Amino acid sequence: MPTGPSSVGGSVFISAAELSMTAATPPRLRFAPSPTGYLHVGGARTALFNWLWARKTGGKFLLRIEDTDKARSTDESTQAIFHGLEWLGLDWDEDVIFQGANVARHKADAERLVANGTAYLDFTTVAELERLRADADARKEPFRFDRRLATWTPDEISQKLAVGEPFTIRFRVPDGTTAWDDIVHGRIAFENKEIEDFIILRSDGTPIYNLAVVSDDIAMGITIVMRGDDHISNTPKQILLYQALGATLPQFAHVPMIHGTDGKKLSKRRDAAAVGDWEYKGILPTAMANFLALLGWSPGDDLEVMMPDELLAHFTLDRLHKKAAIFDTQKLEWMNGQHLSKRPLAEVLPRVTDALVRHGVATQAQLDADPSRTAHLVDQLRVRARTIEEVVKQARPYLIDDVEYDADAVSRSLLKDRIASADILSATRDALVNAPAWTAEALEPALRTLAESRGLAAGKIFTPLRVAVTGLSVSPGIFDVLTLIGRDRSLERLARTIDMLATTA
RNA sequence: GGCGCGUUCGUCUAGCGGCUAGGACGGGACCCUUUCAAGGUCCAGAGACGGGUUCGAUUCCCGUACGCGCUACCA
């Protein structure tokens, strides 16, 4: 049991210094992924919550790479995790800790536990364990390691050690109940008899997860362990280890999982579970963070679209959810549309230009040649797009000479009455050619006058014109379009469309 | 199987004993309009089930069901 504040004569004494210490000591939190794959959105969200709380309270946010599983850990995964966190804007304090570097301490801690009697040597082999497990299975009984199997006399032990017989170190789970007040769930309790004497050190001298975590969290001075609720059943084991090692317990906060649309764990195949997937799809990091935050936490009112500083301002631990949430791609995209138009242009501009170059829509040199035009184009396009990919798609006619005509737009706006369309486009072209200048201010009256003289609604002129010069039924305001595309290119596309309408059967 | 956690519209959620159960995404209709977005108005849509406690339960307690997690010399 954890030792509480000292109690003398029935009253509890906590010094004023101690009190102010607990209140004022900034928390130390950590994100501890294992580098066995991409950065999962669930992990990213756990990292985000840890980061938010550290930044909000003036505490520290540390990063620990749990690479003790040598078979599955890769350097690429480690890099992917770094990159994903950086992309989301989650910067960490102090040096990254690689768990593999601490195996000596892990081993020493295990040996300390043997020395103080809370752990013991177990010479049972893997094969023997498998046999025992199979037997229990056959009898339909739950298998739990029986401590008596590891009872050897001191003589036997020294003899086994002398011949180099391999052994693991097992933790001796005491009788009783292990409970804690979880920050998100409240009190959670486990009967110790439900927990078997678990291995903490393998026969090759390397640590098992629960030992490594506890040893490192103690060494790193972690005060709040915030992680996925799939770790709830590890927690009593870890608490027992803290106590056996004589360390102060941290607080625990178990945040809910994120599920796929089928209500099950997110799967790579169906759900784009890697944050890198969303980066590639043109989601903005602030939108991703906003969306992820809302999947396990809510500010308590109807606020949804939040910029990073607002997230920080509103975030509190007591509003963390208990319930797993389903990852809804459509809402993410809506959220991204909000951020796309609300974030400063300077922030989204480089992400869009990168995408334009990556998709071969423009070269960096071409975009840099006229920075104000590029900025204006992106600014116009971003308000009506949900993802950067959509911006890229709509940017083509402004950056590429060859217009791809959208078949649907053409048939709806031009081919219904080709004679009339050709006629109106010709008149439009004339009006544009004769306009005093190629500016919105000069072009607009010219086209409005034309519409009036023809007795047409302005839209009857604007729509075919839009399709003729962009090939799309979607675009910014037509005068922005014309100036963005330029006089020569606009007139040439008009001429070509008129030509097409006149000649094709 | 055992243990643990969870359960409000299709989805994300608000609610902290008395609500016409609110908002958002998505869906539908309309308005605005130069197309598309954005924005605005409106519509459909929910407290798993059964017991308690209470004058009164979505809200508190207990069962059941369902879902998820853990149950390795994985993390």
Side-chain angles (χ1 to χ4, degrees), chain A residues 213-326:
Chain A
V213 166
V214 171
S215 182
D216 286 352
D217 280 341
I218 293 170
M220 290 163 75
I222 299 303
T223 61
I224 300 179
V225 171
M226 184 165 14
R227 75 238 293 198
D229 67 15
D230 50 341
H231 287 287
I232 286 179
S233 42
N234 282 320
T235 306
K237 295 179 186 174
Q238 295 179 193
I239 288 175
L240 259 12
L241 287 172
Y242 273 94
Q243 291 169 345
L245 288 166
T248 311
L249 283 177
Q251 285 188 284
F252 293 95
H254 288 96
V255 300
M257 309 267 84
I258 297 177
H259 288 160
T261 36
D262 58 354
K264 294 206 182 1
K265 240 178 169 174
L266 273 178
S267 93
K268 172 93 174 159
R269 190 136 298 188
R270 286 190 318 267
D271 306 297
V275 324
D277 292 344
W278 294 106
E279 176 186 4
Y280 186 76
K281 285 187 180 189
I283 296 295
L284 293 173
T286 58
M288 192 73 199
N290 190 168
F291 177 73
L292 286 177
L294 254 23
L295 239 33
W297 167 85
S298 63
D301 53 25
D302 293 335
L303 194 57
E304 297 221 72
V305 179
M306 282 173 276
M307 297 303 138
D309 56 321
E310 295 174 286
L311 224 39
L312 217 34
H314 290 275
F315 186 75
T316 56
L317 260 25
D318 60 346
R319 298 212 58 95
L320 251 12
H321 298 157
K322 295 176 165 69
K323 182 192 154 192
I326 290 173

Side-chain angles (χ1 to χ4, degrees), chain A residues 128-142:
Chain A
E128 176 69 357
L129 284 170
E130 273 169 8
R131 199 190 57 99
L132 290 166
R133 203 168 276 125
D135 284 357
D137 227 50
R139 291 193 308 269
K140 293 195 164 185
E141 282 169 18

Side-chain angles (χ1 to χ4, degrees), chain A residues 182-197:
Chain A
D182 197 273
I183 290 174
V184 348
H185 292 276
R187 191 157 192 83
I188 299 180
F190 285 80
E191 293 300 326
N192 289 181
K193 64 173 160 40
E194 302 293 344
I195 307 168
E196 72 173 351
D197 282 359

